[in-house]
Each structure stands twice: as structure tokens, then as C-alpha cells.
Amino acid sequence: MSPMLQRPRRNRASQTIRDLVAETHLKPSDFVWPIFIMDGTQKSEAISAMPGVYRRSVDAWIPLLKEACKMGLKSFALFPKVNEELKDPHGAISLKDDFFLYSALRQLREEIPEATLITDVALDPYSSDGHDGIYKDEKILNDESVEILAKQAVLQAKNGAHIVAPSDMMDGRVAAIRKALDAAGFKDTGILSYAAKYASNFYGPFRSALDSAPKSGDKKTYQMDPRNSTEALRELRLDIEEGADMVMVKPALAYLDIIKIFKEEAAVPVAAYQVSGEYSMIKAAASQGLLDEEKTMLECLTAIKRAGADIIFSYYAFDFCKSYKG
Ligand code: PBG
């Protein structure tokens, strides 16, 4: 038998060697923790579709966010839960100065100055139709929606958001938001665009967390078709041209190829969102004893980073940091 010169297993012989040759390392500062905020004080509600995730009033979040910051997890994405009776077709509540999200932002800025606050720009949490844009005669009105989104972004910046994150997938919204922010004096507020956001079934648990599912129709005329990747490149190039400082791929695990393409193409940081369905799928399997939760979580998050994500949005961010050993 000829000698075998190549034995790749040598590099896997012990934990120390495996650590030595490991190419991908997760750390707390890679993460953004998405949190659901509700109005009121001392409120905390479990979300049944996302075991272990809670909607909380801002005062109830503060101690947890401080704990997260101490572990090196300092970036948070805020998603407000709006009561049904406050919703209307134009999401008017999102343009009111006294909307609770804005006071929550101010409070967070004051009490946790080390935190980076990222806010979601879209209509669906506020819209009685449950769409990310204005819905009229079974159509989404692109340009009219963009006007509202730009105003939302300005109010978010004014009240303390460091980065605004349009997740709506309307055409031209990044340029409109950049222009509106600059005109209002917020030239330093960043834009993280959800550049390739797919029309995904994995958003189901999030929509039940916010009661934000579309009342009729679906999101396929604005969110991307899961069959396409060339289209993602077009969205990426447009968003960067329009002024995006960071770009996102969403969901993450089923779209690792898109993350990789973004990383190769984009001269800006790439974020990926491990969405609600990805989280709940692991939780559900673990609760039935079918998967080891922590190991599966780590494997999925590692895969997302290995594919090229510089930033990972994950409901597991806090749990990851708790189990992080450096
Ligand atoms: C809405 C928005 C969604 C998510 C983030 N922003 C849902 C949707 O587009 O229907 C999903 C996040 C998740 O599933 O965790 N603009």
C-alpha cells in the first residue's frame, strides 16, 4: 500500500489542536439582541410562540440590558408592541411624539449610555392591515409608504436611536431616509438596511409576538422570492448606492448562500438575522428532547458567522453570552 501523506484528521486530534485551527469564533460583541418593548411599567409577558422570549416595558428591560452590557452585548434592536386599537392604515401612531417607543429610547439613552440602540423602520407593527407599507385596494403604495418611513426614521433618531434599520423592503427607502435624516440634522445616524429580506415563513412567531401578521394578502410583492439570489445582489447594490452603512440578510440559516454573496460583494458590514422561526424551531425540538439546545444554537450561530456575517441579530444573544467562556 502506498503511504498516505495526507491525514486531515491530525488537525482534529485534540480540543487544543481543534481550537488552534478553528477559523470561526463567536463573541458577545458580534451580536445584536432584538427585544420586544411594550407600554407601561413593570410589565413582562411571555410570548408563547417564542419560548423564553418576553415582551417587557422599558423599565423591566433595563436591568437585563445592563447585565447584557456587562457581558459585552451592547447592541439592541427595539420592536414595539402596539395595541390593536392604536393601529390604523397609515401607522399614524408611529409619527406621534408621545408614542411610548420614543420615551423608551430616551430612557435607554439616559440609563444605559454604553448601549447602541437600533430601531426598526416599517409600518407593520403600527398598521391595521399588518403590512410594511400602506395597503390600498390590495396594493402596497410604495412612494407614499416611503414618506412615512422617512418620518419614522427622523423621530427615532431624534429620540436617541443610533442606527435606524428599514425592514420594509419598499423601493428607494434608503435614499429617502438618508435625505430626511440629513435634512433634520442627523447626519451621524447610521442606516442598517434589510437589503435582502425574503418573504419567509420563518417570521411566523415574530408576527404572533407583535400581532402584526397581514390581515389580508401576503408580503410577496415587497419581500424577496426565496427562489432568487441575483435579485439580492441588485437590492444590495441599490441600498449601498442609496447610502446604507450596513446591510442585512434575513432570515439567516436558510440563506447562508446569500450571506456569502453579500460578504464577497459588499464594502460595508454584513448583518444576518436569525429570525423568530429559526429560534423557535430549536426551542421546540429541544423541548421534545430531539436536539441539544445549546449545542444546536452554537452550531447555527457559527454557521451564520462562517458564511460571512459580521453582525448577528439573534434572540439567543443573551443566552449565548451567558454560556460564553471566552
Ligand atoms: C417587520 C419585521 C419582521 C421581522 C422583523 N421586522 C416580520 C415581517 O416582515 O413580517 C421578523 C423578525 C423575526 O421573525 O424574528 N418589518
Side-chain angles (χ1 to χ4, degrees):
M1 209 169 88
S2 60
M4 201 184 335
L5 296 178
Q6 299 288 344
R7 288 182 180 271
R9 288 185 54 205
R10 283 184 207 116
N11 286 352
R12 302 179 206 131
S14 69
Q15 188 62 48
T16 304
I17 294 176
R18 290 193 292 276
D19 288 344
L20 208 54
V21 302
E23 297 169 39
T24 308
H25 302 275
L26 293 166
K27 56 185 187 310
S29 60
D30 293 333
F31 287 91
V32 173
W33 193 18
I35 61 168
F36 297 109
I37 299 205
M38 61 191 292
D39 201 3
T41 50
Q42 286 307 309
K43 292 241 166 73
S44 179
E45 290 176 3
I47 296 167
S48 59
M50 302 177 70
V53 176
Y54 294 80
R55 280 186 288 261
R56 293 189 167 94
S57 51
V58 66
D59 59 322
W61 272 116
I62 284 173
L64 285 163
L65 302 191
K66 284 188 174 162
E67 194 184 338
C69 285
K70 278 203 197 109
M71 298 190 290
L73 170 61
K74 298 183 190 175
S75 301
F76 308 104
L78 278 50
F79 294 96
K81 162 82 168 84
V82 178
N83 288 338
E84 213 52 38
E85 67 275 10
L86 296 173
K87 297 181 182 177
D88 69 14
H90 292 85
I93 182 82
S94 68
L95 300 186
K96 298 225 164 83
D97 265 321
D98 60 356
F99 176 42
F100 78 87
L101 174 68
Y102 303 134
S103 49
L105 278 167
R106 294 194 300 272
Q107 197 174 340
L108 290 170
R109 273 298 280 253
E110 195 173 311
E111 296 201 28
I112 320 182
E114 67 270 40
T116 289
L117 306 174
I118 303 174
T119 44
D120 189 57
V121 180
L123 276 181
D124 56 314
Y126 317 105
S127 150
S128 45
D129 297 304
H131 278 286
D132 296 38
I134 300 168
Y135 186 70
K136 196 155 178 253
D137 304 327
E138 291 170 31
K139 284 206 159 59
I140 297 288
L141 307 182
N142 190 89
D143 301 11
E144 291 82 344
S145 303
V146 168
E147 272 181 43
I148 299 178
L149 299 171
K151 288 183 186 154
Q152 272 185 8
V154 169
L155 270 170
Q156 293 171 357
K158 185 176 145 198
N159 287 287
H162 298 87
I163 297 173
V164 297
S167 68
D168 54 284
M169 291 298 281
M170 296 301 122
D171 292 335
R173 90 277 207 218
V174 174
I177 290 171
R178 186 68 272 157
K179 196 167 151 220
L181 286 172
D182 288 358
F186 300 109
K187 61 181 187 337
D188 295 328
T189 306
I191 300 178
L192 191 176
S193 79
Y194 288 59
K197 177 170 178 180
Y198 283 86
S200 171
N201 291 297
F202 288 103
Y203 307 148
F206 174 98
R207 292 178 189 168
S208 89
L210 295 185
D211 286 327
S212 63
K215 302 281 188 312
S216 62
D218 54 40
K219 299 196 175 187
K220 290 181 187 169
T221 69
Y222 45 105
Q223 297 181 348
M224 284 186 37
D225 188 327
R227 293 174 293 186
N228 296 344
S229 65
T230 313
E231 201 185 352
L233 262 186
R234 185 182 190 195
E235 290 284 3
L236 171 71
R237 289 180 184 147
L238 283 172
D239 282 6
I240 292 179
E241 264 170 43
E242 290 181 28
D245 300 289
M246 305 173 184
V247 290
M248 187 192 286
V249 174
K250 177 183 177 186
L253 199 63
Y255 298 86
L256 295 180
D257 55 331
I258 310 298
I259 297 175
K260 193 165 169 73
I261 293 172
F262 269 36
K263 190 58 198 164
E264 283 161 5
E265 287 287 322
V268 298
V270 175
Y273 199 141
Q274 184 191 47
V275 300
S276 56
E278 298 178 64
Y279 169 88
S280 295
M281 214 158 52
I282 299 175
K283 280 277 172 192
S287 76
Q288 294 192 38
L290 302 176
L291 289 174
D292 178 296
E293 181 175 9
E294 189 177 327
K295 290 179 182 152
T296 308
M297 160 189 90
L298 283 174
E299 184 177 339
C300 292
L301 294 171
T302 302
I304 293 165
K305 182 145 186 198
R306 190 194 62 232
D310 301 298
I311 301 164
I312 304 175
F313 281 55
S314 171
Y315 301 99
Y316 271 125
F318 189 82
D319 294 351
F320 166 80
C321 293
K322 287 225 131 175
S323 64
Y324 181 68
K325 289 171 201 81

